[in-house]
Structure formats: structure tokens, C-alpha cells
Amino acid sequence: MCLAIPGKIVQLFPDQPPTAMVDVVGVRRKVDLGLLQDQPPVAGDWVLIHVGFAMSKISEQDANDQMRTLRMLGEAEAAMEEVQGYGLEES
Amino acid sequence: MKFVDEFREPEVITRTAAEIRRLADPNRHYRIMEVCGGHTHAIYRFGLKDLLPPNIELIHGPGCPVCVLPMGRIDDGLSIAEQPDVIFAAFGDMMRVPGTRGSPLEHKARGMDVRIVYSPSDALKLAQTNPDKHVMFFAIGFETTAPSTALTLVRAKNQGVHNFSVFCNHVTIIPAIRAILDSPDMRIDAFIGPGHVSTVIGCRPYEWIAKDEDKPVAVSGFEPLDILQSIVMVLRQLKADEAKIENQYKRVVPWEGNRAALRAMAEVFELRPYFEWRGLGFISQSALRIRDSYAGWDAEQRFHVPGVRVTDPKAAQCGEVLKGVLKPHQCKLFGKECTPEHPIGALMVSSEGSCAAYFNYEHRKTARLTSIESVA
């Protein structure tokens, strides 16, 4: 729940509420963009995701660093489980 | 020290550690609190304590939302879900947290409809796909997760989803820091400020800590170098007899925070007059409740809530550990009755709880060394 998961925006959906498809090391899930409405991201941008919501825009370098930190913390698996769970796919 | 080679830029780590030793006055004992449980986890995982001189003591703060939730709130949430046709939805972190009559997972084994969700918006989706049921989302977290819950409630209202509610346990970090500073048995010299909470609230809310309490704060990232650099920042301030807020995690934390997230929280939540924290007791204006304009989606207004107050098991010293008065291993139950496999207190459940972090890295390391020595 407290994990900040880095992902790359691969596709924007113009629906209301605004969402985007993000890629987190190969896993693609929809995330909510509602908390980034002051600085709307575009495809190709990197974001930090908390509980299914993109919370901040970051650089690609920072995204890579964050993924490495999660691995070093032993949290990468939990992060991937979280991402895979978005959208109730697993339930 | 054995970890240093595994770090990125090991020579920078070594240099930063040397700078810490240079800045630390050997005649002084420093107590630096890392507020966030994520930092506590990183400090143990990376063995950062081994890089610090012995007169720098890191005190683990209250920033683990699962840990600070009093048991009575878990009982209250579960009692709502005992009513017919209610689905209890929560993050996985909550599932093993003990209530008086067991954890949510144990209630599931006894027949309660308990579902893990990874996002509050999925709890809302669960309600939409189960129109004959009521989905209650058991919301926890500091300002990192509160905006997502808020936006989900805005969506529920806009989309007219009426079989959905939130049992709100969101807490705010600033009053907890204030309570710790007001506590007579605590002496803290400086703070390592939380990274992800600060992406939402920014750095301004900490300014009083420097101005009124004369304590340095460095808002920090989670990499080993981030944490060490933050320690350098506060030590430099202490040496210069200064107190200000520094942002070590500028690459992610804007000084002003995330305004859209703050607006969502202001739309849906208001401050509770007071809220009980495990270990810290009742703290005024320290938690969020759902505004009357969203009463239809507030589980506490829709359902009867017993308002259970439970004292922690007497032998467990979660409160003292949460306040930083005791180290995890100084608790009487640590590693004996209370382990990550069989947690008695919540600090053993979450990976960000200081007891679980200490057990997984320090305790197991010591146990390994002891067994090697006994073989030798």
C-alpha cells in the first residue's frame, strides 16, 4: 500500500475519469490520472503510482532508480503483485 | 559495511558516511527520528546503522499506518462486515492485522466475504459488479493514500453508486510529529521527513518544526544514499546551530506538494476532533473523517458502529516501540510469542513496522551469527 511503483504511460484514455495504460516492467494496467490533473501527463511520460493512482511525474532515470530501490528492498515482487491486481484482474 | 559494495556508487556512500562521522561531535549523542516506516524498512534492510558512528541513534517514528491503527477500529470495521450482504474490502496489508476476534483473513476463513483490493477504485468497481451487495472499503493510510480514497468517493457520488461506503481510518502525519515532540519522555534532535507523504503535502507543513521547535528536518528519498545524505543535512544544521526544512528528495517532492491531491482531500474529508493512535493515545485533529456532503458513502454514518476500545495485550509493548522509547527487541514478546509468522502487535505485520523490519534483518542476522559461532 505504501509502495511507490514507477510506470511508463503507453496510452491515454480520454474517458471520464481520466485514465491511462501504464507499463510496469512489462505488465500493463490501467491507472487513474485524476490526481495529476494540474500537470496532465502524455504518452511516454513516467509516473509514480500509489494504490492505482498516478501521483507524480518523474524522469526515466528516477523511474529506473525507484525500481532498483524496490528490488533492493525486497519489495519488487509485492509491487508487481499490486500492479497485477489493479482492475481486479486477479480476483 | 559488507553491503557497501552492493550499493550504486559505493564510493559516494563511503564518502557520505565519512562526512557523517566528520560532522558528528563525539561528545554528543544524536537522536534522529525517521518518521516514515518505509525509511525504517530501508535502514534495516541496507544495514545503514553499521555505517553510522555509535553516537548517532536512529529513532523509528510512527509513520506506519497499519501499526498505528488501534485494535478497536479493526473490530469496528469487521463488525460492520458481519451484517448480511456486506463485502469487506481492504488492502492486503490489513489482512493479517489482528483484531480482538482475529484478523480479517481469519474472519474470511469463518465465512465473512473479505476481498483484497490493490486500489480503492477497485473496491468501487467491486460494488458496481455486485449490485446486490454492499461493499465497504476499509481505508487506511497517511496522506499518500488519502487522496485516492477521496477521489474514489467523488467518483462514487458522481456515478451514483450507492452500495459502496468507506470506513475511514486515514490519519495525518503532522499532529503525530507534534504529539511526539510534546511527549515528556522523548528527546529528538532532528527529523528525516517522509518522502511519499511529502509528494502530497509538500514541505511547508513541516516549517513549524524548525521555527517553533528548533529542530532540523530533511525530507528524504528511500535509497541508501538518500537517507545518508539526509543525515548529513540535519547534522550540518545541528553543527551550525540552525533549524530549517531541507528537501533532499527534490526529484520527486515539490515544495508545494500535489495541489490536485490536496483539493480532492479537502472536498471529501474534514479533520476529526480527535482520533486514537496505538501507542500515542488520543491526538486532536490527527485523522480524517468523511464530510456530511458524502454521508451516504460514510460507513460510520450508514451503519451502527460499536465504537470498540481495546487495550493492547498487556505484555506487548507496541506503544513504547511506536514512540521510539523502546527498541523492537526490548519488547518482552519480541521474537518469542510475537513473530512475523504469528504477530501479536501490528508492528510485526507490516513490512514497514519497525518490529518486522528489525526481526527480518537484525534478529535473523544475529541468530545466524550465533548459530555459526556455536558450530565453530
Side-chain angles (χ1 to χ4, degrees):
Chain A
M1 166 193 63
C2 291
L3 297 170
I5 304 170
K8 184 181 189 174
I9 294 190
V10 290
Q11 192 184 354
L12 294 166
F13 299 110
D15 11 330
Q16 272 308 317
T19 54
M21 186 65 76
V22 294
D23 184 303
V24 182
V25 285
V27 174
R28 294 190 171 199
R29 286 291 184 275
K30 256 188 185 185
V31 300
D32 198 304
L33 297 182
L35 298 174
L36 281 184
Q37 52 184 280
D38 292 353
Q39 34 164 351
V42 295
D45 279 351
W46 291 81
V47 289
L48 273 185
I49 306 155
H50 287 274
V51 295
F53 288 72
M55 190 67 88
S56 37
K57 286 205 277 188
I58 55 171
S59 70
E60 181 173 358
Q61 173 71 43
D62 289 336
N64 290 331
D65 290 350
Q66 175 64 13
M67 204 64 221
R68 206 197 44 254
T69 305
L70 288 175
R71 279 194 204 104
M72 288 168 74
L73 281 169
E75 294 278 17
E77 217 171 284
M80 293 318 292
E81 185 192 318
E82 177 172 326
V83 172
Q84 277 161 354
Y86 291 159
L88 300 176
E89 262 83 349
E90 296 296 300
S91 51
Chain B
M1 289 288 204
K2 67 187 167 82
F3 283 118
V4 170
D5 292 348
E6 297 169 20
F7 295 150
R8 194 167 52 113
E9 304 177 281
E11 70 289 350
V12 186
I13 295 270
T14 310
R15 240 188 359 255
T16 311
E19 176 70 358
I20 289 174
R21 284 193 295 277
R22 195 186 64 77
L23 285 166
D25 177 350
N27 299 314
R28 187 171 170 185
H29 184 84
Y30 298 89
R31 288 169 57 89
I32 301 174
M33 175 173 275
E34 86 278 2
V35 174
C36 168
H39 286 143
T40 305
H41 181 183
I43 286 162
Y44 282 121
R45 173 73 181 87
F46 299 136
L48 295 185
K49 238 166 31 121
D50 299 343
L51 297 173
L52 302 177
N55 59 332
I56 295 187
E57 185 184 355
L58 295 175
I59 312 288
H60 316 310
C64 164
V66 171
C67 307
V68 296
L69 191 67
M71 203 183 264
R73 291 295 289 183
I74 300 162
D75 290 349
D76 279 346
L78 288 168
S79 82
I80 293 175
E82 269 163 0
Q83 302 181 41
D85 297 324
V86 174
I87 298 176
F88 179 100
F91 296 138
D93 310 47
M94 269 315 299
M95 289 297 155
R96 292 173 59 240
V97 179
T100 314
R101 286 169 295 127
S103 65
L105 215 53
E106 287 162 320
H107 280 72
K108 185 184 170 78
R110 294 199 287 265
M112 184 180 280
D113 195 347
V114 173
R115 314 275 185 105
I116 294 180
V117 291
Y118 294 90
S119 169
S121 57
D122 286 337
L124 178 60
K125 195 185 276 181
L126 203 56
Q128 289 166 309
T129 50
N130 290 275
D132 303 336
K133 305 267 187 176
H134 181 93
V135 173
M136 186 202 72
F137 176 59
F138 189 95
I140 57 167
F142 285 89
E143 287 92 335
T144 325
T145 54
S148 306
T149 304
L151 214 47
T152 301
L153 282 167
V154 171
R155 306 262 156 86
K157 189 177 185 181
N158 289 346
Q159 294 167 19
V161 185
H162 294 284
N163 62 325
F164 175 74
S165 64
V166 167
F167 186 69
C168 182
N169 297 290
H170 284 298
V171 283
T172 60
I173 197 68
I174 297 294
I177 297 176
R178 196 181 288 278
I180 284 166
L181 281 170
D182 287 345
S183 174
D185 48 358
M186 281 309 285
R187 182 183 67 79
I188 305 286
D189 297 303
F191 289 92
I192 307 292
H196 295 135
V197 161
S198 305
T199 61
V200 173
I201 68 173
C203 296
R204 259 184 223 291
Y206 305 109
E207 280 175 346
W208 64 274
I209 303 175
K211 276 200 191 116
D212 306 341
E213 302 287 335
D214 214 18
K215 313 280 185 202
V217 179
V219 171
S220 178
F222 295 85
E223 294 203 35
L225 187 57
D226 289 328
I227 296 171
L228 293 176
Q229 281 178 346
S230 301
I231 294 172
V232 166
M233 283 175 162
V234 297
L235 285 178
R236 278 199 184 126
Q237 291 191 43
L238 289 169
K239 193 177 176 99
D241 210 10
E242 279 181 337
K244 58 186 177 188
I245 314 305
E246 289 188 90
N247 185 1
Q248 187 279 335
Y249 201 27
K250 274 190 190 129
R251 60 188 195 273
V252 174
V253 174
W255 191 263
E256 300 292 341
N258 178 332
R259 286 169 185 266
L262 293 170
R263 280 200 306 275
M265 284 168 65
E267 156 77 16
V268 173
F269 298 129
E270 59 189 7
L271 286 171
R272 289 176 194 267
Y274 53 85
F275 192 72
E276 188 183 7
W277 293 54
R278 178 178 282 204
L280 299 173
F282 286 90
I283 306 178
S284 65
Q285 304 198 317
S286 64
L288 304 173
R289 71 178 175 201
I290 296 167
R291 286 186 187 276
D292 283 345
S293 46
Y294 285 82
W297 292 269
D298 182 355
E300 287 177 85
Q301 297 197 49
R302 279 186 70 149
F303 296 94
H304 168 72
V305 181
V308 179
R309 283 206 63 208
V310 188
T311 44
D312 281 323
K314 267 213 179 75
Q317 294 170 293
C318 308
E320 283 86 345
V321 176
L322 262 176
K323 279 198 290 185
V325 175
L326 284 187
K327 300 282 183 225
H329 67 278
Q330 292 169 325
C331 169
K332 290 193 266 303
L333 301 186
F334 178 84
K336 299 180 190 94
E337 289 90 335
C338 190
T339 63
E341 288 75 27
H342 298 284
I344 290 177
L347 283 81
M348 218 18 132
V349 178
S350 166
S351 65
E352 303 197 338
S354 50
C355 292
Y358 192 93
F359 188 91
N360 286 327
Y361 302 118
E362 289 292 314
H363 185 66
R364 286 192 165 134
K365 190 171 78 184
T366 315
R368 267 199 312 276
L369 288 176
T370 314
S371 67
I372 290 168
E373 276 164 15
S374 63
V375 171

